[in-house]
Amino acid sequence: MINIGVLALQGAVREHVKALQAPDVNVVVVKKSEQLDQIDGLVFPGGESTTMRRLINKYGFYEPLKHFAEKGKPVFGTCAGAILMAKELVGHKEPHIAVMDITVERNAFGRQRESFETLLKVKGIGEDVEGIFIRAPIIRQAGEGVDVLAEYDGEIVAARQGPFLACSYHPELTDDFRMHQYFVKMVRESMEVPA
Ligand code: GLN
């Protein structure tokens, strides 16, 4: 059995819990930092990154989350969750949890495209992965060691760096759970003892 948490301070928590369900996965709704000790991987949901950050500070999650990621435990951020993971944010002096070498711009699709749904070609997953974009960020730059997994209109919308996975869209709001299955696989692989 593997234990995967969903950070439950704000945002689309229930949908992620549903998307992660699998026979060998125990999904943990994470409301206290002590729960991080019981999980093998963690999802940062979408929502509002500034609100989420405020709650991370308020409930003493900042250091424990940093520590969790620094140990190399897998983290998957969707939309606002990806903003939390970026080491650089366009127009902001300070990043949040800052674990991935990506530069992210918030609300970057502009007014006409504030929210839309599309099929994406995602490396290692499929050619027709459903993504819902809601006031979505764009990954403007990906550092060395970051694998770009998907682009939309020439812009990076999904990337992976070792144990860290980030996407601009909300796979949890669709019935297409392949992004989550991919993350579960990442978690499983991170737990395998090297031969
Ligand atoms: N625009 C939000 C932010 O900047 C993210 C939107 C989302 O998660 N759907 O935090």
Side-chain angles (χ1 to χ4, degrees), residues 45-52 78-81 83 105-108 132-137 168-170 172-173:
E48 234 294 310
S49 54
T50 47
T51 307
M52 239 185 275
T78 64
C79 202
I83 296 169
E105 182 174 351
R106 298 176 64 199
N107 305 321
I132 296 183
F133 291 74
I134 305 168
R135 292 173 57 77
S168 301
Y169 46 94
H170 292 267
E172 78 284 6
L173 300 182

Side-chain angles (χ1 to χ4, degrees), residues 109-128:
F109 278 99
R111 275 197 173 278
Q112 291 84 16
R113 314 228 57 183
E114 269 206 349
S115 79
F116 58 97
E117 202 170 332
T118 189
L119 293 179
L120 298 159
K121 183 174 165 183
V122 186
K123 189 174 161 187
I125 300 183
E127 307 241 318
D128 54 353

Side-chain angles (χ1 to χ4, degrees), residues 46-167:
E48 234 294 310
S49 54
T50 47
T51 307
M52 239 185 275
R53 172 58 192 276
R54 198 165 39 77
L55 296 171
I56 284 171
N57 290 359
K58 181 170 174 191
Y59 293 103
F61 264 101
Y62 185 78
E63 288 299 331
L65 285 177
K66 269 250 179 286
H67 186 62
F68 185 86
E70 277 160 10
K71 279 192 292 191
K73 295 242 187 164
V75 179
F76 176 24
T78 64
C79 202
I83 296 169
L84 294 181
M85 292 172 79
K87 285 194 183 167
E88 302 252 1
L89 295 177
V90 175
H92 291 251
K93 280 204 195 81
E94 298 289 333
H96 299 297
I97 310 301
V99 294
M100 248 182 115
D101 292 308
I102 51 175
T103 302
V104 169
E105 182 174 351
R106 298 176 64 199
N107 305 321
F109 278 99
R111 275 197 173 278
Q112 291 84 16
R113 314 228 57 183
E114 269 206 349
S115 79
F116 58 97
E117 202 170 332
T118 189
L119 293 179
L120 298 159
K121 183 174 165 183
V122 186
K123 189 174 161 187
I125 300 183
E127 307 241 318
D128 54 353
V129 177
E130 283 178 52
I132 296 183
F133 291 74
I134 305 168
R135 292 173 57 77
I138 285 176
I139 301 172
R140 292 289 186 200
Q141 265 168 12
E144 239 175 272
V146 177
D147 199 8
V148 171
L149 300 186
E151 292 187 16
Y152 176 77
D153 256 2
E155 307 285 2
I156 304 172
V157 294
R160 173 176 177 182
Q161 183 175 20
F164 307 128
L165 178 66
C167 65

